[in-house]
Amino acid sequence: NAGVTQTPKFQVLKTGQSMTLQCAQDMNHEYMSWYRQDPGMGLRLIHYSVGAGITDQGEVPNGYNVSRSTTEDFPLRLLSAAPSQTSVYFCASSYGGSLAYNEQFFGPGTRLTVL
Amino acid sequence: GDSVTQMEGPVTLSEEAFLTINCTYTATGYPSLFWYVQYPGEGLQLLLKATKADDKGSNKGFEATYRKETTSFHLEKGSVQVSDSAVYFCALSEKTSYDKVIFGPGTSLSVIP
């Protein structure tokens, strides 16, 4: 049982490049989400999904796309990287139903630097 | 909108000292409250939670009580260890909004021998 896995762990991009951050979970969780973590700002929600084929925007969605074709995978795409997207990105998953009652399980994170 | 405020630190304590990290919240409804911990180089993990007023969450010697009258959820531990060095996040999730968690900015704790 690997839990939530993320790849890569580190990535350096040039402004304007695109890339995909991978996230997978093996717990059969319905809910998955992407956060970014910036100093002094905690975690901010980028996009989330309540099940395969369903995605929605979070607090800071601009510049990012997601899709959820399977229960296990929830990739995050940066369309045209900008220095403002330099951050640490976390993927999380949870059982279906309310997050007020269900724990989120986090991946180890991807540290992204955009030059 | 909903928000979480917590002391940002960094907090530095000697081993076996008493720890308090303050957390207050603003919510439109009646949320559940959480403390998550992030050890160096790792993702966040749930430390404890409380779903209703006067509930006390506890785990690994840490405790926090849901105080609705003061909108607070302060984290305490009686005797910290070096292994408790981490960043601690207070968070809330509204019971009526089932798909979002609001995190505070995090408090960095360093425990020195």
Side-chain angles (χ1 to χ4, degrees), chain A residues 31 37 48 90 99-101, chain B residues 32 38 49 89 95 98-99:
Chain A
Y31 179 93
Q37 182 182 30
Y48 64 98
F90 288 100
L99 289 180
Y101 299 100
Chain B
S32 291
Q38 183 182 28
K49 72 178 184 183
F89 293 91
K95 297 183 179 72
Y98 64 95
D99 51 11

Side-chain angles (χ1 to χ4, degrees), chain B residues 4-63:
Chain B
V4 176
T5 302
Q6 60 180 113
M7 51 193 288
E8 292 197 28
V11 175
T12 302
L13 294 174
S14 297
E15 207 166 20
E16 299 184 2
F18 185 86
L19 169 71
T20 299
I21 300 178
N22 290 335
C23 171
T24 57
Y25 67 90
T26 302
T28 53
Y30 186 8
S32 291
L33 303 174
F34 307 86
W35 277 101
Y36 277 82
V37 59
Q38 183 182 28
Y39 297 105
E42 299 183 9
L44 280 71
Q45 55 186 273
L46 180 66
L47 180 60
L48 53 84
K49 72 178 184 183
T51 59
K52 61 184 188 294
D54 300 325
D55 266 2
K56 178 186 285 188
S58 61
N59 187 22
K60 299 181 181 180
F62 291 89
E63 293 182 341

Side-chain angles (χ1 to χ4, degrees), chain A residues 13-92:
Chain A
L13 293 178
K14 295 180 179 177
T15 297
Q17 288 185 314
S18 62
M19 79 159 295
T20 299
L21 279 62
Q22 302 291 344
C23 174
Q25 52 90 11
D26 62 358
M27 297 174 281
N28 202 32
H29 285 169
E30 292 185 15
Y31 179 93
M32 296 185 74
S33 57
W34 277 102
Y35 293 90
R36 59 178 288 172
Q37 182 182 30
D38 300 295
M41 302 188 74
L43 275 71
R44 292 182 292 169
L45 183 65
I46 304 171
H47 285 285
Y48 64 98
S49 169
V50 298
I54 305 169
T55 63
D56 206 345
Q57 296 181 350
E59 180 185 358
V60 288
N62 291 342
Y64 307 95
N65 271 357
V66 292
S67 60
R68 184 96 179 269
S69 56
T70 67
T71 299
E72 294 79 18
D73 300 299
F74 191 45
L76 177 72
R77 282 181 286 277
L78 278 70
L79 308 173
S80 177
S84 60
Q85 293 178 304
T86 294
S87 187
V88 181
Y89 292 84
F90 288 100
C91 179

